[in-house]
């Protein structure tokens, strides 16, 4: 049952927020509607816990992203002071998992300095484990294995539930993949949740230690937890269940990656004393926007009833924009952005966002924004430095800087392939774990010959000598031309261009990736020559060696990609937009087949439709002052053009209602014509470029 609101509201908290902050001695679920101040509640609850004498190090606040964790820590610091905030455990689920495994991983067979593989490292291991060079096949295995791990399944259990030949194949690869991770003393991203749970489940002493470590656990975005994360939370808080879970069942949009609303359903069952407190006052959006959001989400079944409301006034009506096709839609969005900016409704380009269901929808908007000379960024798109070929080269550079970097070692020694197979690396991994040393250091141990055959030992020694030689040369190579020559010679020596040709599906793709490699070489060479490019121009710095550039590469990459504070329009998928907000939002492509996305599935399964509706709700509630919803009369589907059918969600928004009064068709037509006239005049007189 949802708890009634308090009448007192200290520290500027509303009554519901205050009640959530003061509930300290039992399980608590805070139903935080969009824009209802959930982070404010969490940081004030942290402050309240410290006021009651709880030590900062015994308060854990768990989030889903590093960005959210950084924001929470900063806001907590402002409230409780730097000294107290320093000792708080504010982290993602995965960072907490690393903390637990670094401390107690040896109890379940991990060495202290185990390696953490990134997604590309995992793909390489899976290719080898499955005996394929087909990246698409390996990515399919990667996705399926991750889904199984997030459900808490081991390889045998995965094989038992596999529904078809593809899943059976993935389950068999999962078994070989698990064997390789154990031999390499490595874990993947999903293991950072699964292994801490296994630790607490199997080891009573470790379980008691970690339950005692935290007096109160706060979990943000609990609706996004998967089965394993939920079980880890239960294991951490124990039977007493002193925790605060903050979330919103109406914003659960990650079912495709294992998140399940079943966790919210289970909370009242697992914790009968659970206090449920709804935060319904929205501090972000106008009444018109919230009314549309409430209407849409009302069509979904409810776990816990709530209805958002705002004191920000009615605001502008939500605009419905009908477009001939994708190009026309982009043109109208650009016209709207320019009109609002020229009218004084927005001072900055960063006040605008265009949101859509799928990545491919960004192309038309990018073209029209470039033509209008309006700066923009594509949120959630792949960074240059996230491309596989760039990560390959960065792994080599990381290894030159730090020979004890095991993930870098594994990537470099297998990319490109040099005849060093899984069994050799498994034996090397077992040897390194036994002697508590890094993989690279283990290469040169005199006793390694007892674990490996001469041929394998020779191949590893040759690789080790190559790395040492590269490190020496990188240390003594300075200047732009010398650095470029050195790097190109190295790439030729390891056969990297041929590696791309061998692993890509076409020469065109391989050539595009090789072009990225050349750009990266030039990027490093310019810095070796003393040129640093930042926003605003190119600056002269001291000449550096290749090794010096490699030592600071993560900092340089961060500097080169610094866009978050730039004054640009944001283009973003709805999934990537969650947790963000803008004064003015265009919600694009609101058509059947796009939103809701059917993917050829007609009709949609009920839960799929419910999640798509929640995605629409998330899109609507990103807007603070104005919202335009655009729909297409004709849209592209593959190479074909098909008739566009407005999304069912548009009718559910009930846009003909204003302040609770239903407009007549004639009134609505007059209002829409007035809006169009105002926008056209503003666009024609816009002085901006």
């Amino acid at each position: 049952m949802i708890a009634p609101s308090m009448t007192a509201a200290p520290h500027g908290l509303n009554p519901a927020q205050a009640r959530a902050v003061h509930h300290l001695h039992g399980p608590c679920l805070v139903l935080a509607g969009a824009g209802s101040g959930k982070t404010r509640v969490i940081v004030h609850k942290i402050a309240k816990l410290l006021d009651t004498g709880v030590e900062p190090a015994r308060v854990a606040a768990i989030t889903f992203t590093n960005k959210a964790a950084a924001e929470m820590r900063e806001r907590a610091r402002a409230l409780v002071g730097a000294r107290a905030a320093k000792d708080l455990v504010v982290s993602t689920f995965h960072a907490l998992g690393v903390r637990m495994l670094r401390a107690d991983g040896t109890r379940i067979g991990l060495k202290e300095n185990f390696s953490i593989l990134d997604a590309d490292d995992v793909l390489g291991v899976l290719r080898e484990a499955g005996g394929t060079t087909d990246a698409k096949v390996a990515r399919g295995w990667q996705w399926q294995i991750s889904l199984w791990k997030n459900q808490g399944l081991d390889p045998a259990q995965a094989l038992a539930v596999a529904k078809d030949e593809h899943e059976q194949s993935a389950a068999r690869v999962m078994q070989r993949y698990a064997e390789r991770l154990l031999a390499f003393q490595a874990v993947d991203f999903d293991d950072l949740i699964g292994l801490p749970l296994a630790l607490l489940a199997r080891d009573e002493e470790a379980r008691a230690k970690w339950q005692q470590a935290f007096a109160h656990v706060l979990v943000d975005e609990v609706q996004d937890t998967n089965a394993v994360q939920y079980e880890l939370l239960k294991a951490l808080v124990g039977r007493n269940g002193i925790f605060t879970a903050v979330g919103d069942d109406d914003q659960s949009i990650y079912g495709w990656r294992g998140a399940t609303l079943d966790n919210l359903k289970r909370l009242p069952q697992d914790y009968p004393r659970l206090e449920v407190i709804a935060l319904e006052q929205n501090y972000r959006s106008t009444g018109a926007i919230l009314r549309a959001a409430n209407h849409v989400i009302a069509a979904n079944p409810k776990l816990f009833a709530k209805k958002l409301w705002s004191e920000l006034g009615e605001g502008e009506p939500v605009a419905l924009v009908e477009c001939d096709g994708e190009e026309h839609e982009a043109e109208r969005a650009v016209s709207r952005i320019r009109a609002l900016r020229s009218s004084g409704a927005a001072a900055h380009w960063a006040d605008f966002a265009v949101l859509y269901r799928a990545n491919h929808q960004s192309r038309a908007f990018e073209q029209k924004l470039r033509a209008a000379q309006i700066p923009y960024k594509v949120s959630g798109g792949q960074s240059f430095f996230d491309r596989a070929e760039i990560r390959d080269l960065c792994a080599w550079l990381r290894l030159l800087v730090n020979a004890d970097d095991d993930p870098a070692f594994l990537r470099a020694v297998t990319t490109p392939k040099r005849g060093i197979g899984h069994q050799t690396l498994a034996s090397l991994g077992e040897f390194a774990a036994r002697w508590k040393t890094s993989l690279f250091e283990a290469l040169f141990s005199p006793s390694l010959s007892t674990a490996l055959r001469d041929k394998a030992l020779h191949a590893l020694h040759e690789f080790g000598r190559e790395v040492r030689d590269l490190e020496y040369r990188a240390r003594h190579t300075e200047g732009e031309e010398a650095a470029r020559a050195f790097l190109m010679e190295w790439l030729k020596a390891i056969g990297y261009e041929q590696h791309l040709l061998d692993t890509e599906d076409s020469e065109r793709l391989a050539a595009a990736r090789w072009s990225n490699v050349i750009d990266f070489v030039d990027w490093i060479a310019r810095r070796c020559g003393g040129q640093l490019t930042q926003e605003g121009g190119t600056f002269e710095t001291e000449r550096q060696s290749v090794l010096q550039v490699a030592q600071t590469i993560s900092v340089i990459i961060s500097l080169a990609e610094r866009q978050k504070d730039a004054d640009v329009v944001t283009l973003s998928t709805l999934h990537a937009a969650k947790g963000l907000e803008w004064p003015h939002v265009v919600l694009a492509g609101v058509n059947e087949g796009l939103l809701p996305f059917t993917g050829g599935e007609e009709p949609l399964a009920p839960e799929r439709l419910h999640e798509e509706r929640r995605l629409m709700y998330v899109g609507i509630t990103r807007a603070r002052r104005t919202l335009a919803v655009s729909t297409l009369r004709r849209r592209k589907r593959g190479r074909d053009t098909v008739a566009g059918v407005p999304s069912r969600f548009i009718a559910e928004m009930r846009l003909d209602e204003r302040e609770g009064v239903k407009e007549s068709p004639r009134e609505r037509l007059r209002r829409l014509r007035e809006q169009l006239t105002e926008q056209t005049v503003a666009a024609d007189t816009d002085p901006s470029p």
Side-chain angles (χ1 to χ4, degrees), residues 12 46 61 91 127 258 292 302 328 345 386 492 557 602 621 623 636:
I46 290 171
S91 73
R127 278 175 162 175
K302 290 289 185 182
H328 186 221
D386 285 334
K492 183 177 180 181
I557 289 172
E602 290 284 1
T621 54
K636 292 178 182 176

Side-chain angles (χ1 to χ4, degrees), residues 394 398 523 549-561:
C394 284
R398 282 164 44 202
W523 187 82
V549 172
Q551 286 170 334
T552 58
I553 199 163
S554 61
V555 178
I556 295 171
I557 289 172
S558 176
L559 185 66
E561 295 186 301

